[in-house]
Amino acid sequence: MLVSPFFFYRNASSVCTPATKSSFTVLEISESREQEEQQQEEEEEEQELDAPFCVLQDKDLLRKSQNSGLYVLDLIERGALEPDPSLYNRLLNKCALLGKLREGRIVHAHFLRSQFSHYLVIQNMVVNMYGKCGSVDDAREVFDDMPTRDMVTWTALITGYSQNGRPHDALILFPQMLRLGLQPNQFTFSSLLKAAGAVPSDMDGKQVHGLIVKEANKKTKIPHIAVKLMKRPAMTRTVWWDKSSRKVWWDRFGFWDFW
């Protein structure tokens, strides 16, 4: 019995057809489920935004939102989260710790539009954040625009310069800070010693160390950080503070005046 070749082609097509339809059905179901899951996530986020209050967790601080912003700031805009200075402090600190410059700029812009934009503590955190994220030019711009600056402000910028390879800028700031009558602390001195150790001349290091000796005479918690400069052979000299002349003396080098 002769069988036409079209018989096999026709039957092969009829056999393959259900499998093809089944594969399309599975694909459609998979895409449908993904769409449903995405829609469900969006609905849950909208419900959170519409909630009268929200408990903010640390993992949500830098969580991105659908509009390329930050989820936390969206909560504030929708009234689901009450803004306060501590929240901006947490956000900026998180950006500084993780080096998130883009997120830090978003938080900074939102802070400037808030009712707390005049808070000095948060402004200092902004300077610190930019310095920790490696954008010292932004830190300097914020610093210059601040109507009021305290010792923390100056220390934050000095530290930013010191940590980002600009020791000369850090050392230039210090005498300006002293002229304003601001008292440096151990963090200021630590950053200054690092900056002084990064420049070729020992002049700045000697003056900073001399001021540390002077502060040590006042029983402050500063003298231990001066050991960083002792790694230089030229710095292994005897130093003392003369109360009568109010100068710091170095043996075989005379005295050093401060700025």
Side-chain angles (χ1 to χ4, degrees):
M1 178 180 174
L2 295 175
V3 180
S4 172
F6 292 103
F7 173 82
F8 294 103
Y9 177 79
R10 185 174 60 252
N11 283 275
S13 300
S14 63
V15 172
C16 293
T17 300
T20 304
K21 288 184 177 180
S22 176
S23 63
F24 279 119
T25 305
V26 172
L27 181 60
E28 290 173 357
I29 292 174
S30 176
E31 292 178 350
S32 177
R33 287 180 179 175
E34 291 180 358
Q35 291 176 357
E36 290 178 358
E37 290 176 357
Q38 183 177 359
Q39 183 177 357
Q40 184 177 357
E41 291 179 358
E42 292 177 357
E43 290 177 354
E44 289 177 355
E45 186 170 337
E46 288 179 359
Q47 290 177 1
E48 291 177 356
L49 290 172
D50 292 334
F53 62 90
C54 175
V55 178
L56 185 62
Q57 299 181 7
D58 187 70
K59 64 181 180 64
D60 293 324
L61 286 175
L62 299 184
R63 173 180 165 188
K64 295 181 181 179
S65 63
Q66 297 178 4
N67 59 0
S68 300
L70 291 179
Y71 168 74
V72 172
L73 302 181
D74 283 354
L75 290 176
I76 295 176
E77 295 297 328
R78 295 289 294 273
L81 185 65
E82 188 70 24
D84 61 75
S86 63
L87 175 58
Y88 288 108
N89 185 72
R90 290 178 62 190
L91 290 169
L92 291 167
N93 187 54
K94 193 76 170 179
C95 293
L97 290 175
L98 300 179
K100 298 290 187 178
L101 180 59
R102 188 188 76 86
E103 289 80 357
R105 284 175 172 156
I106 294 175
V107 176
H108 180 208
H110 195 278
F111 164 70
L112 290 177
R113 299 192 303 268
S114 72
Q115 58 182 316
F116 312 109
S117 59
H118 62 285
Y119 276 40
L120 180 59
V121 175
I122 310 301
Q123 292 173 355
N124 289 340
M125 280 298 303
V126 173
V127 176
N128 176 71
M129 180 274 296
Y130 279 128
K132 289 295 191 341
C133 292
S135 184
V136 287
D137 289 333
D138 284 330
R140 184 57 191 255
E141 183 177 348
V142 174
F143 178 89
D144 291 337
D145 291 340
M146 292 173 62
T148 305
R149 309 182 192 100
D150 60 6
M151 181 270 297
V152 177
T153 317
W154 287 83
T155 298
L157 188 57
I158 289 173
T159 302
Y161 280 136
S162 178
Q163 292 178 345
N164 288 279
R166 293 171 62 173
H168 290 286
D169 291 320
L171 295 170
I172 289 173
L173 278 179
F174 186 52
Q176 299 175 22
M177 172 183 170
L178 293 180
R179 290 191 193 102
L180 296 175
L182 297 173
Q183 187 72 21
N185 61 14
Q186 61 266 35
F187 302 108
T188 317
F189 281 124
S190 180
S191 295
L192 286 168
L193 286 173
K194 181 178 180 179
V199 297
S201 174
D202 290 331
M203 177 72 71
D204 296 301
K206 289 175 181 178
Q207 294 194 24
V208 173
H209 185 204
L211 187 53
I212 291 173
V213 174
K214 175 182 176 182
E215 293 302 314
N217 187 263
K218 299 178 182 178
K219 298 181 179 180
T220 60
K221 298 180 180 180
I222 292 175
H224 66 282
I225 64 175
V227 179
K228 294 182 180 180
L229 271 180
M230 292 299 111
K231 294 180 180 179
R232 289 191 173 190
M235 299 300 294
T236 55
R237 305 285 194 262
T238 304
V239 188
W240 68 92
W241 166 247
D242 186 357
K243 289 184 178 180
S244 59
S245 62
R246 299 190 61 79
K247 299 181 184 297
V248 172
W249 289 81
W250 294 73
D251 64 334
R252 294 182 293 171
F253 281 90
F255 64 84
W256 294 91
D257 284 312
F258 294 110
W259 303 274

